[in-house]
Structure formats: structure tokens, C-alpha cells
Amino acid sequence: MHFSEDDLRAALKRKDPGEGFTQRVMARVNQADAKNKTSPATEKSRWLWLRRWNLRPAWTFAVVAVLFLSFAWAGYEYSEYRHQKIARENQQRLEQAEEARDQAILALRIARNKLNHVLQHAQLPADAIPSENDKIRRQRL
Amino acid sequence: MNRVPGTLMRILVGLVLCCFAARGYGQNARLQLANLEKLSDKASHITEVTLDGALLELAAKFMEMDDDPEAAQLKDIIKNLKGIYIKSFEFDEASQYSQADVEAIRTQLTAPGWARIVTDVNKRTGEKNEIYLLKNGKQIAGVAILVAEARELTVVNIVGPVPIEKIAAIENQFKHGNKEEHKKKGGSHEKK
């Protein structure tokens, strides 16, 4: 494409921007400024409570204290629960063992009585338990 | 080639013999006493004790905590036992159990390993009391005491290496055992 000198001159000729150009430009500048100004303000309002919070160390201390006490109480309760559970289990085991011991004693007493009963009837002394090779048969008429 | 089947045969025979030996060694000293359950209705007094190895171990541990020498003596008796099973029925009237009930127990005691060492028969009353031992080599692996009297049927079955002399020599007074013999406790129960 070829442009002649006249074409370029016509294209680059000075044009009048018309009335109110300055006002329009200033209005746009103000609009852009206003946009830039509103956003940080909204951002700031979001974190305003934090700024207020920073201003009240007493609240911070109270919250930390409540949290600390809550954790301490929960820990104590859990340790008490564990302690009671272990104590309960130990008690159960002890009761079971005591019961088993009583059972064993009862069983041994019955075994002893019946063993001696049979040996007495067979006229054998209790300290002379026969071995497999000494089979004893007594008949009473 | 002809030697291979012969060797195989020997190995097979050896294995079979080993199986039989193992069966003999591992035979069960515990008697099945379930057939006596039906006598519960007729009996006026029932004593039943079922103590397996775990319970005996627990009892032995508990006795260990006791400084009493009697407890030590009892612990010494039960420490290696694998079980004590007792069923005792007392009847108000005679002939409440049948010979078949007793024979069911005696049949089990005819298994290999069991040997009857004492038999006491009273022909007048029909009482027959017996003591059986199960042996594993030289060691006692179980004891069965069968007391079949007119108004009483008792089976005592102790499983494990039973120190039978020690049981017979247990003193009459137990520090912890002065309770009624037939007191209801845990695995034992009574009916009066």
C-alpha cells in the first residue's frame, strides 16, 4: 500500500477535541481515584475487629486463660477417667482371681476328701498312694 | 528301582507309628461329664467345679500374693495343673442314677493310658469307688476319682501333672477355705 504525502498530511492534521474535553478528562481521573480509594477502605473495615482486638489485651488474656483452663480441665478429666477405668479393671481382675482361688481351694478340698474316702474304704493309708503297678482291689461283703 | 517302594513303605509305616505315638502322648485327660447333667433334676445337692488352665493360673497368681504358707502349699499343687473338673450329686433316695450313667464315664477311662489303681467295691450296698491314673511315661497326666455310692455320685477329674500325694496330704484347715464346701461360687453351683 502506498500513501502519498497529501494522505499523511490529511491524517495527521490537528483536530479540535470539542467543547468540555478538559471536564471529561478530569471526570475520568476523579472516577479512577474514587475507585482506588474505596477498595482499601473496605479491606480495612474487614480487619477492623482485629485492630479493635489489638486494642484490648485484657480480652486476649481472658480468651487464652479460658482456653488454657478448658484444656487443663479436659486433660484432668481424661486422666481421671483413665485412672478409674484401670482401677475398675484391676478390681475386676482381683475379684476374678479371688473367685478362682476360692474355686481352686474348694476343688482341692473335694478332691482330697474323695481321694481319702476311697483310700480309707480300700483300707489304704493316705500317704501310700499306689502306683500304676500296685493295683489294689478290695471287696467288702 | 525295586528299593524305592520298600523305602517309601518304611517311611509310611514310620509316620503311622509316629502318629499313633503322638496320639497316645497327647491324649486328653479331661473326661466328658456332660452325660451327668440329667441327674441335676433328681439330685438334692449338686457341686460342680470347672476350673480350666487359665483360671488355675489366675488362682495361683493370687495365691502368690499371699504370704501364708498354706497358700504356698496350695499354689505348689495347682501351679502345673491344666484343669480341675468336679461333678458331685447327692440324692435323698438310693438308686437315683443308673449304671449306664457311671459306665459312660468308665468307658472313657478304658482309653489307652488310663489305669485303674484302686477299686473298692461294697457288694452289700453296691458301692464302687475307683481311682484312675493317666500316665505319660513316668509322669502323671491326669487323675480320675469315681465315687459311686447309693446316694452319691461324684466324679473328680484333675488334668495335668497331679501331685496326688500332696493332694491327699492337704491339711484339713484352709485359711481361705473354711467356707461351706458346697458354697455357691462362680463355676460351682449347688441345689438344695
Side-chain angles (χ1 to χ4, degrees):
Chain A
M1 203 177 226
H2 182 257
F3 295 104
S4 67
E5 200 173 333
D6 290 336
D7 292 334
L8 286 172
R9 199 168 286 150
L12 297 172
K13 196 171 74 179
R14 187 172 180 177
K15 284 180 184 173
D16 185 14
E19 278 185 20
F21 173 74
T22 311
Q23 284 81 0
R24 283 203 305 276
V25 170
M26 286 314 289
R28 283 223 180 152
V29 168
N30 287 339
Q31 206 177 4
D33 277 354
K35 238 183 201 178
N36 288 340
K37 275 179 188 171
T38 50
S39 338
T42 324
E43 201 72 9
K44 273 181 188 171
S45 69
R46 270 185 210 157
W47 298 101
L48 197 61
W49 66 272
L50 196 64
R51 287 184 65 194
R52 281 184 187 160
W53 187 261
N54 288 336
L55 292 172
R56 290 175 174 80
W59 283 24
T60 310
F61 176 77
V63 167
V64 168
V66 164
L67 282 175
F68 176 77
L69 286 175
S70 301
F71 278 114
W73 178 77
Y76 172 76
E77 282 294 312
Y78 181 69
S79 118
E80 278 292 299
Y81 163 77
R82 287 279 303 165
H83 186 72
Q84 279 175 9
K85 194 180 168 191
I86 290 168
R88 224 174 16 244
E89 280 171 1
N90 284 344
Q91 183 62 29
Q92 271 178 355
R93 232 174 281 148
L94 203 68
E95 280 169 12
Q96 263 185 342
E98 199 174 350
E99 201 174 302
R101 181 205 57 191
D102 289 347
Q103 284 284 296
I105 289 171
L106 172 66
L108 288 176
R109 284 181 70 180
I110 297 172
R112 187 259 333 257
N113 287 348
K114 296 304 166 192
L115 188 66
N116 289 339
H117 173 80
V118 177
L119 293 175
Q120 263 176 12
H121 277 236
Q123 294 169 353
L124 287 167
D127 57 348
I129 307 292
S131 69
E132 194 185 355
N133 301 325
D134 317 317
K135 288 180 184 171
I136 289 169
R137 185 179 177 86
R138 288 266 155 79
Q139 286 195 356
R140 286 177 282 147
L141 295 170
Chain B
M1 281 295 278
N2 287 339
R3 297 187 78 181
V4 173
T7 313
L8 273 176
M9 200 64 168
R10 274 182 208 142
I11 289 169
L12 273 176
V13 169
L15 278 174
V16 168
L17 285 175
C18 282
C19 286
F20 272 106
R23 186 179 166 269
Y25 185 79
Q27 59 202 324
N28 199 358
R30 185 177 175 181
L31 301 175
Q32 295 304 314
L33 308 174
N35 72 305
L36 301 178
E37 291 293 336
K38 61 190 173 195
L39 300 176
S40 301
D41 296 334
K42 297 177 188 172
S44 58
H45 198 151
I46 304 163
T47 307
E48 189 177 338
V49 178
T50 305
L51 277 169
D52 57 12
L55 280 174
L56 283 171
E57 203 177 318
L58 199 63
K61 274 183 188 167
F62 193 80
M63 285 172 184
E64 230 168 54
M65 298 192 302
D66 209 330
D67 293 334
D68 187 34
E70 278 175 6
Q73 182 196 358
L74 295 175
K75 193 203 135 223
D76 192 40
I77 292 171
I78 65 166
K79 68 180 178 190
N80 292 321
L81 296 183
K82 293 187 175 73
I84 305 179
Y85 307 96
I86 296 173
K87 266 188 199 287
S88 179
F89 302 93
E90 286 174 29
F91 307 96
D92 287 336
E93 293 166 18
S95 310
Q96 292 296 302
Y97 63 91
S98 68
Q99 280 307 306
D101 296 328
V102 188
E103 279 309 316
I105 308 296
R106 284 200 187 107
T107 309
Q108 294 177 56
L109 295 165
T110 56
W114 282 105
R116 188 165 54 189
I117 55 161
V118 177
T119 314
D120 172 57
V121 185
N122 189 333
K123 286 200 169 177
R124 207 182 322 152
T125 58
E127 289 173 8
K128 193 172 182 183
N129 302 325
E130 293 151 290
I131 300 174
Y132 292 82
L133 284 187
L134 177 71
K135 284 205 160 184
N136 259 343
K138 285 185 178 176
Q139 201 181 30
I140 296 174
V143 169
I145 304 167
L146 196 56
V147 176
E149 299 186 344
R151 290 183 178 181
E152 185 192 335
L153 178 63
T154 300
V155 183
V156 176
N157 179 207
I158 307 175
V159 182
V162 187
I164 198 162
E165 298 89 354
K166 286 183 184 173
I167 291 177
I170 291 173
E171 286 171 34
N172 254 325
Q173 295 298 316
F174 289 101
K175 185 181 170 187
H176 306 286
N178 287 334
K179 301 163 186 175
E180 281 295 304
E181 184 169 307
H182 300 296
K183 189 181 174 192
K184 185 177 179 178
K185 257 296 190 176
S188 74
H189 72 271
E190 67 170 356
K191 177 186 148 188
K192 267 203 169 175

